[in-house]
Amino acid sequence: AAKPVVSFNIGGLAEILAHNRALIVNELSSKCLGEILQSYLLQPLKYNNMVMSGFEAASSQYNLSNLIYHTVELYRKITNKR
């Protein structure tokens, strides 16, 4: 089932979770995290499209079969093997 994703804007997470797929906390603080969580909890329907977008991306782009395929293709490209 689709669940909301909450992440701090660190590392590569913001790029992976871009395109309105998650709640991004821009400042690394518990106060900002609390504000984002409170906003979601008070208005969950407002974030419904975002939750579904993240779920669809995870199901299609980041599933195990797709990750294996792209990893194998990368190794083939690097080693020039087809």
Side-chain angles (χ1 to χ4, degrees):
K3 303 289 183 212
V5 173
V6 180
S7 173
F8 287 103
N9 189 6
I10 56 173
L13 290 173
E15 289 81 27
I16 293 171
L17 300 173
H19 312 295
N20 199 30
R21 294 180 183 162
L23 295 157
I24 304 295
V25 183
N26 287 313
E27 188 179 316
L28 192 57
S29 75
S30 58
K31 180 183 179 207
C32 289
L33 174 61
E35 289 170 358
I36 292 286
L37 292 174
Q38 183 176 29
S39 175
Y40 172 76
L41 292 172
L42 292 174
Q43 303 175 64
L45 295 178
K46 175 182 173 182
Y47 297 98
N48 220 19
N49 288 338
M50 178 205 59
V51 170
M52 291 311 299
S53 176
F55 179 75
E56 290 168 8
S59 298
S60 63
Q61 296 175 340
Y62 302 107
N63 66 53
L64 184 59
S65 296
N66 201 26
L67 293 173
I68 290 170
Y69 171 80
H70 287 291
T71 301
V72 168
E73 287 301 307
L74 176 63
Y75 286 146
R76 284 183 178 155
K77 182 178 177 181
I78 291 170
T79 61
N80 293 317
K81 294 182 181 177
R82 292 274 168 198

